[in-house]
Amino acid sequence: MTDDRRGMGRGLAAILPRSGDEDGLREIPVDLIDPNPRQPRSSFDETKLGELADSIRVRGVLQPVVVRPLAGGRYELVAGERRLRAVRIAGVEVIPAMLRQTDDWERLDIALAENMARQNLNAVEEARACAMLVDDLGLTKEEVGKRVGRSRVAISNLIRLLDLPEDALELIESGHLSEGHGRAILLCKDHSSRKRLARSARDGAWSVRETERRAREAENGPPEKREPKVIHPDLAEALAAAEDTLAAALGRDVKARARGDHCMVEIEFDTPAEAVELARSMLAAGVRKVVRERRAAATIGVSTAVQAGGTGD
């Protein structure tokens, strides 16, 4: 059975039912698999097929196809046309396949979803498992999400990772890039640019945010440089005076900028806690001022009453 799971990765292989007397995972000669006459897709991207074939030559088939038995020892493909075509291009003679004797898919998809929730899979293995549940076994993304404890959007984002080039998927599987890097690279629609971005993100140790910025630039071009805004000298002098006065009062670096007809002030803190401390001290100062004003008002009121009483005598 170990050989049956070669190339699929420990995580994804662990969620697939083992081969029994009838159903289960096994390796089947490619020449014995007939195409699915109900396959809705008639054309496949040759470039992506070639990439997948190259990956299969090196790493094996990472997601099994689904077949059902026919008379005479042959099989009919149920799901996985793209993988089967890539295997034939790669010149591989056998392919891992989930054999289904009947149309009882419910037991299989429930088992896959439950096992997926228990196993420690990386993002790409999770994406392949979700794709098998959705594309091959017919579950909706919402149904998969409910069974593994995730939202429909999270499942959609996982499956979208499989739109990445094989090179990028390998970098995510190996831990050189994260799932967040993968989603950022998908912001760029060009397949070749995605490959370059993935390699550059690894080599440059880019953060996810930096990868997002580079992907947007690759897709839309660099942002246009804006001409510096000319500020009237009087306004510039007033902003500088505001910065100096606020900085002296608050004990912080302050920047004041013109924003249309208004003024925007930025106060720099080393930590969020410092901002909270300043706010509390300002509130306390405000309370003390109110107390002083009330005391002063009360004193004035008493003094006035005393004076009025003395005049009455």
Side-chain angles (χ1 to χ4, degrees), residues 7-13 15 59 62 116 118-130 150 158-159 161-162 168-179:
M8 280 192 298
R10 178 181 54 83
L12 184 57
I15 74 171
R59 309 173 67 207
L62 300 176
M116 178 185 165
R118 289 195 293 264
Q119 295 295 327
N120 182 25
L121 310 186
N122 63 51
V124 176
E125 288 174 331
E126 288 183 338
R128 290 193 176 106
C130 288
R150 299 192 186 185
L158 266 177
I159 294 176
L161 288 178
L162 300 181
L169 292 174
E170 289 178 17
L171 290 175
I172 294 174
E173 283 191 282
S174 63
H176 289 96
L177 297 180
S178 69
E179 177 184 346

PDB file of all heavy atoms in Angstrom, residues 7-13 15 59 62 116 118-130 150 158-159 161-162 168-179:
ATOM      1  N   GLY A   7       4.238   9.800  -3.906  1.00  0.00           N
ATOM      2  CA  GLY A   7       4.139  11.071  -4.589  1.00  0.00           C
ATOM      3  C   GLY A   7       3.011  11.955  -4.120  1.00  0.00           C
ATOM      4  O   GLY A   7       3.037  13.140  -4.357  1.00  0.00           O
ATOM      5  N   MET A   8       2.004  11.397  -3.423  1.00  0.00           N
ATOM      6  CA  MET A   8       0.866  12.226  -3.045  1.00  0.00           C
ATOM      7  C   MET A   8       1.122  13.047  -1.804  1.00  0.00           C
ATOM      8  O   MET A   8       0.371  13.961  -1.507  1.00  0.00           O
ATOM      9  CB  MET A   8      -0.378  11.359  -2.826  1.00  0.00           C
ATOM     10  CG  MET A   8      -1.045  10.975  -4.110  1.00  0.00           C
ATOM     11  SD  MET A   8      -2.643  10.275  -3.784  1.00  0.00           S
ATOM     12  CE  MET A   8      -2.144   8.846  -2.824  1.00  0.00           C
ATOM     13  N   GLY A   9       2.169  12.768  -1.054  1.00  0.00           N
ATOM     14  CA  GLY A   9       2.403  13.510   0.169  1.00  0.00           C
ATOM     15  C   GLY A   9       1.726  12.813   1.337  1.00  0.00           C
ATOM     16  O   GLY A   9       0.635  12.291   1.222  1.00  0.00           O
ATOM     17  N   ARG A  10       2.392  12.818   2.478  1.00  0.00           N
ATOM     18  CA  ARG A  10       1.872  12.107   3.647  1.00  0.00           C
ATOM     19  C   ARG A  10       0.513  12.629   4.066  1.00  0.00           C
ATOM     20  O   ARG A  10      -0.386  11.885   4.427  1.00  0.00           O
ATOM     21  CB  ARG A  10       2.859  12.277   4.813  1.00  0.00           C
ATOM     22  CG  ARG A  10       2.401  11.617   6.090  1.00  0.00           C
ATOM     23  CD  ARG A  10       3.421  11.866   7.178  1.00  0.00           C
ATOM     24  NE  ARG A  10       3.680  13.284   7.331  1.00  0.00           N
ATOM     25  CZ  ARG A  10       2.900  14.100   8.051  1.00  0.00           C
ATOM     26  NH1 ARG A  10       1.834  13.614   8.647  1.00  0.00           N
ATOM     27  NH2 ARG A  10       3.188  15.362   8.162  1.00  0.00           N
ATOM     28  N   GLY A  11       0.309  13.956   3.976  1.00  0.00           N
ATOM     29  CA  GLY A  11      -0.940  14.532   4.454  1.00  0.00           C
ATOM     30  C   GLY A  11      -2.131  14.135   3.625  1.00  0.00           C
ATOM     31  O   GLY A  11      -3.125  13.622   4.134  1.00  0.00           O
ATOM     32  N   LEU A  12      -2.077  14.355   2.304  1.00  0.00           N
ATOM     33  CA  LEU A  12      -3.220  14.041   1.451  1.00  0.00           C
ATOM     34  C   LEU A  12      -3.472  12.540   1.415  1.00  0.00           C
ATOM     35  O   LEU A  12      -4.619  12.094   1.433  1.00  0.00           O
ATOM     36  CB  LEU A  12      -2.978  14.572   0.036  1.00  0.00           C
ATOM     37  CG  LEU A  12      -4.141  14.403  -0.941  1.00  0.00           C
ATOM     38  CD1 LEU A  12      -5.392  15.069  -0.404  1.00  0.00           C
ATOM     39  CD2 LEU A  12      -3.780  14.960  -2.307  1.00  0.00           C
ATOM     40  N   ALA A  13      -2.411  11.752   1.380  1.00  0.00           N
ATOM     41  CA  ALA A  13      -2.602  10.306   1.348  1.00  0.00           C
ATOM     42  C   ALA A  13      -3.321   9.815   2.598  1.00  0.00           C
ATOM     43  O   ALA A  13      -4.094   8.865   2.552  1.00  0.00           O
ATOM     44  CB  ALA A  13      -1.249   9.601   1.223  1.00  0.00           C
ATOM     45  N   ILE A  15      -5.756  11.055   4.214  1.00  0.00           N
ATOM     46  CA  ILE A  15      -7.204  11.257   4.288  1.00  0.00           C
ATOM     47  C   ILE A  15      -7.961  10.361   3.320  1.00  0.00           C
ATOM     48  O   ILE A  15      -9.184  10.327   3.333  1.00  0.00           O
ATOM     49  CB  ILE A  15      -7.594  12.728   4.023  1.00  0.00           C
ATOM     50  CG1 ILE A  15      -7.462  13.069   2.533  1.00  0.00           C
ATOM     51  CG2 ILE A  15      -6.793  13.674   4.878  1.00  0.00           C
ATOM     52  CD1 ILE A  15      -8.030  14.430   2.185  1.00  0.00           C
ATOM     53  N   ARG A  59       7.862  14.560  -9.137  1.00  0.00           N
ATOM     54  CA  ARG A  59       7.255  14.354  -7.827  1.00  0.00           C
ATOM     55  C   ARG A  59       6.136  13.321  -7.808  1.00  0.00           C
ATOM     56  O   ARG A  59       5.602  13.005  -6.753  1.00  0.00           O
ATOM     57  CB  ARG A  59       6.717  15.691  -7.302  1.00  0.00           C
ATOM     58  CG  ARG A  59       7.728  16.817  -7.343  1.00  0.00           C
ATOM     59  CD  ARG A  59       7.095  18.138  -6.979  1.00  0.00           C
ATOM     60  NE  ARG A  59       6.678  18.153  -5.589  1.00  0.00           N
ATOM     61  CZ  ARG A  59       5.684  18.895  -5.130  1.00  0.00           C
ATOM     62  NH1 ARG A  59       4.964  19.627  -5.964  1.00  0.00           N
ATOM     63  NH2 ARG A  59       5.382  18.882  -3.857  1.00  0.00           N
ATOM     64  N   LEU A  62       0.115  14.019  -7.453  1.00  0.00           N
ATOM     65  CA  LEU A  62      -0.179  14.466  -6.100  1.00  0.00           C
ATOM     66  C   LEU A  62      -1.657  14.418  -5.755  1.00  0.00           C
ATOM     67  O   LEU A  62      -2.027  14.615  -4.606  1.00  0.00           O
ATOM     68  CB  LEU A  62       0.343  15.898  -5.915  1.00  0.00           C
ATOM     69  CG  LEU A  62       1.852  16.057  -6.129  1.00  0.00           C
ATOM     70  CD1 LEU A  62       2.270  17.495  -6.016  1.00  0.00           C
ATOM     71  CD2 LEU A  62       2.606  15.209  -5.118  1.00  0.00           C
ATOM     72  N   MET A 116      -9.886  15.040   6.608  1.00  0.00           N
ATOM     73  CA  MET A 116      -9.193  16.295   6.338  1.00  0.00           C
ATOM     74  C   MET A 116      -9.182  17.174   7.579  1.00  0.00           C
ATOM     75  O   MET A 116      -8.196  17.844   7.883  1.00  0.00           O
ATOM     76  CB  MET A 116      -9.863  17.031   5.184  1.00  0.00           C
ATOM     77  CG  MET A 116      -9.227  18.379   4.874  1.00  0.00           C
ATOM     78  SD  MET A 116     -10.134  19.263   3.596  1.00  0.00           S
ATOM     79  CE  MET A 116      -9.438  20.902   3.820  1.00  0.00           C
ATOM     80  N   ARG A 118      -9.069  16.239  10.569  1.00  0.00           N
ATOM     81  CA  ARG A 118      -8.223  15.671  11.622  1.00  0.00           C
ATOM     82  C   ARG A 118      -6.739  15.700  11.278  1.00  0.00           C
ATOM     83  O   ARG A 118      -5.901  15.679  12.171  1.00  0.00           O
ATOM     84  CB  ARG A 118      -8.644  14.227  11.906  1.00  0.00           C
ATOM     85  CG  ARG A 118      -9.987  14.096  12.607  1.00  0.00           C
ATOM     86  CD  ARG A 118     -10.149  12.696  13.174  1.00  0.00           C
ATOM     87  NE  ARG A 118     -10.242  11.699  12.123  1.00  0.00           N
ATOM     88  CZ  ARG A 118     -11.387  11.225  11.656  1.00  0.00           C
ATOM     89  NH1 ARG A 118     -12.520  11.691  12.125  1.00  0.00           N
ATOM     90  NH2 ARG A 118     -11.397  10.304  10.712  1.00  0.00           N
ATOM     91  N   GLN A 119      -6.395  15.728  10.006  1.00  0.00           N
ATOM     92  CA  GLN A 119      -4.993  15.608   9.608  1.00  0.00           C
ATOM     93  C   GLN A 119      -4.303  16.968   9.583  1.00  0.00           C
ATOM     94  O   GLN A 119      -4.923  18.002   9.383  1.00  0.00           O
ATOM     95  CB  GLN A 119      -4.891  14.968   8.221  1.00  0.00           C
ATOM     96  CG  GLN A 119      -5.385  13.536   8.172  1.00  0.00           C
ATOM     97  CD  GLN A 119      -4.529  12.600   9.012  1.00  0.00           C
ATOM     98  OE1 GLN A 119      -3.325  12.799   9.121  1.00  0.00           O
ATOM     99  NE2 GLN A 119      -5.148  11.597   9.600  1.00  0.00           N
ATOM    100  N   ASN A 120      -2.988  16.938   9.766  1.00  0.00           N
ATOM    101  CA  ASN A 120      -2.181  18.158   9.723  1.00  0.00           C
ATOM    102  C   ASN A 120      -1.655  18.344   8.301  1.00  0.00           C
ATOM    103  O   ASN A 120      -0.546  17.924   7.976  1.00  0.00           O
ATOM    104  CB  ASN A 120      -1.026  18.056  10.723  1.00  0.00           C
ATOM    105  CG  ASN A 120      -0.188  19.316  10.746  1.00  0.00           C
ATOM    106  OD1 ASN A 120      -0.673  20.394  10.398  1.00  0.00           O
ATOM    107  ND2 ASN A 120       1.065  19.190  11.138  1.00  0.00           N
ATOM    108  N   LEU A 121      -2.451  18.963   7.444  1.00  0.00           N
ATOM    109  CA  LEU A 121      -2.083  19.150   6.047  1.00  0.00           C
ATOM    110  C   LEU A 121      -1.509  20.539   5.824  1.00  0.00           C
ATOM    111  O   LEU A 121      -1.881  21.493   6.501  1.00  0.00           O
ATOM    112  CB  LEU A 121      -3.316  18.980   5.144  1.00  0.00           C
ATOM    113  CG  LEU A 121      -4.179  17.732   5.330  1.00  0.00           C
ATOM    114  CD1 LEU A 121      -5.247  17.694   4.247  1.00  0.00           C
ATOM    115  CD2 LEU A 121      -3.339  16.474   5.276  1.00  0.00           C
ATOM    116  N   ASN A 122      -0.599  20.660   4.846  1.00  0.00           N
ATOM    117  CA  ASN A 122      -0.182  22.002   4.457  1.00  0.00           C
ATOM    118  C   ASN A 122      -1.240  22.600   3.536  1.00  0.00           C
ATOM    119  O   ASN A 122      -2.189  21.936   3.127  1.00  0.00           O
ATOM    120  CB  ASN A 122       1.212  21.993   3.817  1.00  0.00           C
ATOM    121  CG  ASN A 122       1.260  21.200   2.525  1.00  0.00           C
ATOM    122  OD1 ASN A 122       0.452  21.396   1.624  1.00  0.00           O
ATOM    123  ND2 ASN A 122       2.225  20.278   2.427  1.00  0.00           N
ATOM    124  N   ALA A 123      -1.065  23.883   3.196  1.00  0.00           N
ATOM    125  CA  ALA A 123      -2.116  24.596   2.457  1.00  0.00           C
ATOM    126  C   ALA A 123      -2.404  23.965   1.100  1.00  0.00           C
ATOM    127  O   ALA A 123      -3.564  23.890   0.666  1.00  0.00           O
ATOM    128  CB  ALA A 123      -1.708  26.062   2.282  1.00  0.00           C
ATOM    129  N   VAL A 124      -1.368  23.491   0.413  1.00  0.00           N
ATOM    130  CA  VAL A 124      -1.574  22.913  -0.918  1.00  0.00           C
ATOM    131  C   VAL A 124      -2.266  21.560  -0.809  1.00  0.00           C
ATOM    132  O   VAL A 124      -3.140  21.236  -1.616  1.00  0.00           O
ATOM    133  CB  VAL A 124      -0.230  22.796  -1.669  1.00  0.00           C
ATOM    134  CG1 VAL A 124      -0.424  22.114  -3.020  1.00  0.00           C
ATOM    135  CG2 VAL A 124       0.381  24.184  -1.862  1.00  0.00           C
ATOM    136  N   GLU A 125      -1.894  20.762   0.184  1.00  0.00           N
ATOM    137  CA  GLU A 125      -2.577  19.481   0.393  1.00  0.00           C
ATOM    138  C   GLU A 125      -4.050  19.712   0.727  1.00  0.00           C
ATOM    139  O   GLU A 125      -4.934  19.001   0.244  1.00  0.00           O
ATOM    140  CB  GLU A 125      -1.891  18.707   1.513  1.00  0.00           C
ATOM    141  CG  GLU A 125      -0.536  18.142   1.119  1.00  0.00           C
ATOM    142  CD  GLU A 125       0.181  17.516   2.298  1.00  0.00           C
ATOM    143  OE1 GLU A 125      -0.035  17.951   3.445  1.00  0.00           O
ATOM    144  OE2 GLU A 125       0.979  16.590   2.075  1.00  0.00           O
ATOM    145  N   GLU A 126      -4.320  20.716   1.561  1.00  0.00           N
ATOM    146  CA  GLU A 126      -5.707  21.055   1.873  1.00  0.00           C
ATOM    147  C   GLU A 126      -6.450  21.488   0.614  1.00  0.00           C
ATOM    148  O   GLU A 126      -7.611  21.121   0.409  1.00  0.00           O
ATOM    149  CB  GLU A 126      -5.759  22.170   2.912  1.00  0.00           C
ATOM    150  CG  GLU A 126      -5.359  21.734   4.312  1.00  0.00           C
ATOM    151  CD  GLU A 126      -5.486  22.852   5.309  1.00  0.00           C
ATOM    152  OE1 GLU A 126      -5.473  24.034   4.894  1.00  0.00           O
ATOM    153  OE2 GLU A 126      -5.620  22.573   6.514  1.00  0.00           O
ATOM    154  N   ALA A 127      -5.772  22.278  -0.231  1.00  0.00           N
ATOM    155  CA  ALA A 127      -6.404  22.740  -1.468  1.00  0.00           C
ATOM    156  C   ALA A 127      -6.748  21.564  -2.370  1.00  0.00           C
ATOM    157  O   ALA A 127      -7.840  21.510  -2.960  1.00  0.00           O
ATOM    158  CB  ALA A 127      -5.472  23.710  -2.196  1.00  0.00           C
ATOM    159  N   ARG A 128      -5.853  20.592  -2.481  1.00  0.00           N
ATOM    160  CA  ARG A 128      -6.113  19.423  -3.337  1.00  0.00           C
ATOM    161  C   ARG A 128      -7.249  18.575  -2.762  1.00  0.00           C
ATOM    162  O   ARG A 128      -8.078  18.043  -3.504  1.00  0.00           O
ATOM    163  CB  ARG A 128      -4.841  18.601  -3.492  1.00  0.00           C
ATOM    164  CG  ARG A 128      -3.772  19.301  -4.333  1.00  0.00           C
ATOM    165  CD  ARG A 128      -2.658  18.346  -4.736  1.00  0.00           C
ATOM    166  NE  ARG A 128      -1.710  19.019  -5.621  1.00  0.00           N
ATOM    167  CZ  ARG A 128      -0.504  19.423  -5.262  1.00  0.00           C
ATOM    168  NH1 ARG A 128      -0.089  19.216  -4.028  1.00  0.00           N
ATOM    169  NH2 ARG A 128       0.289  20.027  -6.124  1.00  0.00           N
ATOM    170  N   ALA A 129      -7.272  18.456  -1.437  1.00  0.00           N
ATOM    171  CA  ALA A 129      -8.347  17.690  -0.823  1.00  0.00           C
ATOM    172  C   ALA A 129      -9.693  18.373  -1.053  1.00  0.00           C
ATOM    173  O   ALA A 129     -10.689  17.714  -1.384  1.00  0.00           O
ATOM    174  CB  ALA A 129      -8.083  17.525   0.680  1.00  0.00           C
ATOM    175  N   CYS A 130      -9.725  19.686  -0.890  1.00  0.00           N
ATOM    176  CA  CYS A 130     -10.971  20.430  -1.126  1.00  0.00           C
ATOM    177  C   CYS A 130     -11.381  20.345  -2.586  1.00  0.00           C
ATOM    178  O   CYS A 130     -12.573  20.204  -2.900  1.00  0.00           O
ATOM    179  CB  CYS A 130     -10.794  21.894  -0.719  1.00  0.00           C
ATOM    180  SG  CYS A 130     -10.707  22.166   1.057  1.00  0.00           S
ATOM    181  N   ARG A 150     -14.801  25.448   8.355  1.00  0.00           N
ATOM    182  CA  ARG A 150     -14.307  26.681   7.736  1.00  0.00           C
ATOM    183  C   ARG A 150     -15.422  27.336   6.936  1.00  0.00           C
ATOM    184  O   ARG A 150     -16.429  26.707   6.626  1.00  0.00           O
ATOM    185  CB  ARG A 150     -13.120  26.397   6.812  1.00  0.00           C
ATOM    186  CG  ARG A 150     -11.938  25.781   7.522  1.00  0.00           C
ATOM    187  CD  ARG A 150     -10.715  25.788   6.644  1.00  0.00           C
ATOM    188  NE  ARG A 150      -9.620  25.083   7.256  1.00  0.00           N
ATOM    189  CZ  ARG A 150      -8.405  25.020   6.748  1.00  0.00           C
ATOM    190  NH1 ARG A 150      -8.129  25.613   5.598  1.00  0.00           N
ATOM    191  NH2 ARG A 150      -7.445  24.359   7.356  1.00  0.00           N
ATOM    192  N   LEU A 158      -8.705  28.520  -0.676  1.00  0.00           N
ATOM    193  CA  LEU A 158      -7.804  27.369  -0.725  1.00  0.00           C
ATOM    194  C   LEU A 158      -7.756  26.780  -2.131  1.00  0.00           C
ATOM    195  O   LEU A 158      -6.673  26.544  -2.684  1.00  0.00           O
ATOM    196  CB  LEU A 158      -8.273  26.301   0.265  1.00  0.00           C
ATOM    197  CG  LEU A 158      -7.659  26.305   1.657  1.00  0.00           C
ATOM    198  CD1 LEU A 158      -8.308  25.233   2.512  1.00  0.00           C
ATOM    199  CD2 LEU A 158      -6.149  26.104   1.599  1.00  0.00           C
ATOM    200  N   ILE A 159      -8.917  26.538  -2.718  1.00  0.00           N
ATOM    201  CA  ILE A 159      -8.954  25.912  -4.038  1.00  0.00           C
ATOM    202  C   ILE A 159      -8.318  26.812  -5.082  1.00  0.00           C
ATOM    203  O   ILE A 159      -7.675  26.334  -6.028  1.00  0.00           O
ATOM    204  CB  ILE A 159     -10.410  25.557  -4.410  1.00  0.00           C
ATOM    205  CG1 ILE A 159     -10.932  24.468  -3.457  1.00  0.00           C
ATOM    206  CG2 ILE A 159     -10.516  25.074  -5.852  1.00  0.00           C
ATOM    207  CD1 ILE A 159     -12.385  24.108  -3.654  1.00  0.00           C
ATOM    208  N   LEU A 161      -5.741  28.459  -4.821  1.00  0.00           N
ATOM    209  CA  LEU A 161      -4.285  28.277  -4.815  1.00  0.00           C
ATOM    210  C   LEU A 161      -3.828  27.361  -5.939  1.00  0.00           C
ATOM    211  O   LEU A 161      -2.706  27.495  -6.446  1.00  0.00           O
ATOM    212  CB  LEU A 161      -3.819  27.707  -3.472  1.00  0.00           C
ATOM    213  CG  LEU A 161      -3.852  28.628  -2.251  1.00  0.00           C
ATOM    214  CD1 LEU A 161      -3.401  27.869  -1.021  1.00  0.00           C
ATOM    215  CD2 LEU A 161      -2.981  29.860  -2.473  1.00  0.00           C
ATOM    216  N   LEU A 162      -4.692  26.423  -6.350  1.00  0.00           N
ATOM    217  CA  LEU A 162      -4.314  25.469  -7.390  1.00  0.00           C
ATOM    218  C   LEU A 162      -4.222  26.123  -8.760  1.00  0.00           C
ATOM    219  O   LEU A 162      -3.783  25.483  -9.718  1.00  0.00           O
ATOM    220  CB  LEU A 162      -5.305  24.304  -7.418  1.00  0.00           C
ATOM    221  CG  LEU A 162      -5.396  23.502  -6.112  1.00  0.00           C
ATOM    222  CD1 LEU A 162      -6.391  22.373  -6.255  1.00  0.00           C
ATOM    223  CD2 LEU A 162      -4.024  22.981  -5.702  1.00  0.00           C
ATOM    224  N   ALA A 168       5.248  27.571  -8.005  1.00  0.00           N
ATOM    225  CA  ALA A 168       4.785  28.303  -6.831  1.00  0.00           C
ATOM    226  C   ALA A 168       4.174  27.357  -5.803  1.00  0.00           C
ATOM    227  O   ALA A 168       4.388  27.514  -4.590  1.00  0.00           O
ATOM    228  CB  ALA A 168       3.767  29.369  -7.241  1.00  0.00           C
ATOM    229  N   LEU A 169       3.419  26.368  -6.267  1.00  0.00           N
ATOM    230  CA  LEU A 169       2.827  25.400  -5.348  1.00  0.00           C
ATOM    231  C   LEU A 169       3.901  24.618  -4.595  1.00  0.00           C
ATOM    232  O   LEU A 169       3.774  24.352  -3.397  1.00  0.00           O
ATOM    233  CB  LEU A 169       1.910  24.435  -6.113  1.00  0.00           C
ATOM    234  CG  LEU A 169       0.625  25.039  -6.689  1.00  0.00           C
ATOM    235  CD1 LEU A 169      -0.105  24.009  -7.535  1.00  0.00           C
ATOM    236  CD2 LEU A 169      -0.280  25.561  -5.590  1.00  0.00           C
ATOM    237  N   GLU A 170       4.973  24.274  -5.295  1.00  0.00           N
ATOM    238  CA  GLU A 170       6.071  23.554  -4.640  1.00  0.00           C
ATOM    239  C   GLU A 170       6.722  24.409  -3.558  1.00  0.00           C
ATOM    240  O   GLU A 170       7.101  23.903  -2.499  1.00  0.00           O
ATOM    241  CB  GLU A 170       7.104  23.136  -5.677  1.00  0.00           C
ATOM    242  CG  GLU A 170       6.621  22.025  -6.609  1.00  0.00           C
ATOM    243  CD  GLU A 170       7.650  21.672  -7.665  1.00  0.00           C
ATOM    244  OE1 GLU A 170       8.830  22.049  -7.484  1.00  0.00           O
ATOM    245  OE2 GLU A 170       7.293  21.020  -8.655  1.00  0.00           O
ATOM    246  N   LEU A 171       6.840  25.723  -3.804  1.00  0.00           N
ATOM    247  CA  LEU A 171       7.442  26.615  -2.805  1.00  0.00           C
ATOM    248  C   LEU A 171       6.555  26.735  -1.573  1.00  0.00           C
ATOM    249  O   LEU A 171       7.053  26.859  -0.453  1.00  0.00           O
ATOM    250  CB  LEU A 171       7.684  28.007  -3.421  1.00  0.00           C
ATOM    251  CG  LEU A 171       8.779  28.088  -4.481  1.00  0.00           C
ATOM    252  CD1 LEU A 171       8.836  29.472  -5.092  1.00  0.00           C
ATOM    253  CD2 LEU A 171      10.138  27.731  -3.870  1.00  0.00           C
ATOM    254  N   ILE A 172       5.236  26.699  -1.768  1.00  0.00           N
ATOM    255  CA  ILE A 172       4.327  26.746  -0.621  1.00  0.00           C
ATOM    256  C   ILE A 172       4.398  25.430   0.149  1.00  0.00           C
ATOM    257  O   ILE A 172       4.458  25.409   1.381  1.00  0.00           O
ATOM    258  CB  ILE A 172       2.888  27.032  -1.089  1.00  0.00           C
ATOM    259  CG1 ILE A 172       2.792  28.440  -1.699  1.00  0.00           C
ATOM    260  CG2 ILE A 172       1.906  26.914   0.084  1.00  0.00           C
ATOM    261  CD1 ILE A 172       1.449  28.751  -2.324  1.00  0.00           C
ATOM    262  N   GLU A 173       4.405  24.305  -0.572  1.00  0.00           N
ATOM    263  CA  GLU A 173       4.482  22.998   0.088  1.00  0.00           C
ATOM    264  C   GLU A 173       5.767  22.844   0.889  1.00  0.00           C
ATOM    265  O   GLU A 173       5.776  22.239   1.964  1.00  0.00           O
ATOM    266  CB  GLU A 173       4.382  21.886  -0.953  1.00  0.00           C
ATOM    267  CG  GLU A 173       2.985  21.636  -1.460  1.00  0.00           C
ATOM    268  CD  GLU A 173       2.910  20.353  -2.276  1.00  0.00           C
ATOM    269  OE1 GLU A 173       3.318  20.373  -3.442  1.00  0.00           O
ATOM    270  OE2 GLU A 173       2.434  19.344  -1.737  1.00  0.00           O
ATOM    271  N   SER A 174       6.850  23.386   0.376  1.00  0.00           N
ATOM    272  CA  SER A 174       8.142  23.244   1.055  1.00  0.00           C
ATOM    273  C   SER A 174       8.316  24.235   2.192  1.00  0.00           C
ATOM    274  O   SER A 174       9.298  24.146   2.940  1.00  0.00           O
ATOM    275  CB  SER A 174       9.281  23.421   0.042  1.00  0.00           C
ATOM    276  OG  SER A 174       9.265  24.734  -0.502  1.00  0.00           O
ATOM    277  N   GLY A 175       7.378  25.184   2.328  1.00  0.00           N
ATOM    278  CA  GLY A 175       7.466  26.153   3.411  1.00  0.00           C
ATOM    279  C   GLY A 175       8.235  27.405   3.075  1.00  0.00           C
ATOM    280  O   GLY A 175       8.385  28.286   3.931  1.00  0.00           O
ATOM    281  N   HIS A 176       8.731  27.529   1.845  1.00  0.00           N
ATOM    282  CA  HIS A 176       9.449  28.745   1.461  1.00  0.00           C
ATOM    283  C   HIS A 176       8.498  29.929   1.302  1.00  0.00           C
ATOM    284  O   HIS A 176       8.901  31.085   1.499  1.00  0.00           O
ATOM    285  CB  HIS A 176      10.212  28.524   0.151  1.00  0.00           C
ATOM    286  CG  HIS A 176      11.392  27.607   0.292  1.00  0.00           C
ATOM    287  ND1 HIS A 176      11.333  26.264   0.014  1.00  0.00           N
ATOM    288  CD2 HIS A 176      12.663  27.849   0.711  1.00  0.00           C
ATOM    289  CE1 HIS A 176      12.517  25.710   0.234  1.00  0.00           C
ATOM    290  NE2 HIS A 176      13.341  26.641   0.666  1.00  0.00           N
ATOM    291  N   LEU A 177       7.260  29.660   0.928  1.00  0.00           N
ATOM    292  CA  LEU A 177       6.228  30.686   0.836  1.00  0.00           C
ATOM    293  C   LEU A 177       5.016  30.216   1.631  1.00  0.00           C
ATOM    294  O   LEU A 177       4.812  29.023   1.827  1.00  0.00           O
ATOM    295  CB  LEU A 177       5.825  30.933  -0.624  1.00  0.00           C
ATOM    296  CG  LEU A 177       6.888  31.477  -1.575  1.00  0.00           C
ATOM    297  CD1 LEU A 177       6.302  31.651  -2.973  1.00  0.00           C
ATOM    298  CD2 LEU A 177       7.471  32.793  -1.074  1.00  0.00           C
ATOM    299  N   SER A 178       4.205  31.176   2.073  1.00  0.00           N
ATOM    300  CA  SER A 178       3.013  30.859   2.848  1.00  0.00           C
ATOM    301  C   SER A 178       1.775  30.872   1.955  1.00  0.00           C
ATOM    302  O   SER A 178       1.826  31.300   0.795  1.00  0.00           O
ATOM    303  CB  SER A 178       2.838  31.873   3.980  1.00  0.00           C
ATOM    304  OG  SER A 178       2.498  33.156   3.438  1.00  0.00           O
ATOM    305  N   GLU A 179       0.668  30.440   2.521  1.00  0.00           N
ATOM    306  CA  GLU A 179      -0.610  30.515   1.805  1.00  0.00           C
ATOM    307  C   GLU A 179      -0.929  31.964   1.446  1.00  0.00           C
ATOM    308  O   GLU A 179      -1.452  32.258   0.372  1.00  0.00           O
ATOM    309  CB  GLU A 179      -1.719  29.925   2.671  1.00  0.00           C
ATOM    310  CG  GLU A 179      -3.098  30.010   2.043  1.00  0.00           C
ATOM    311  CD  GLU A 179      -4.184  29.512   2.975  1.00  0.00           C
ATOM    312  OE1 GLU A 179      -3.860  28.868   3.992  1.00  0.00           O
ATOM    313  OE2 GLU A 179      -5.375  29.773   2.687  1.00  0.00           O
TER     314      GLU A 179
END
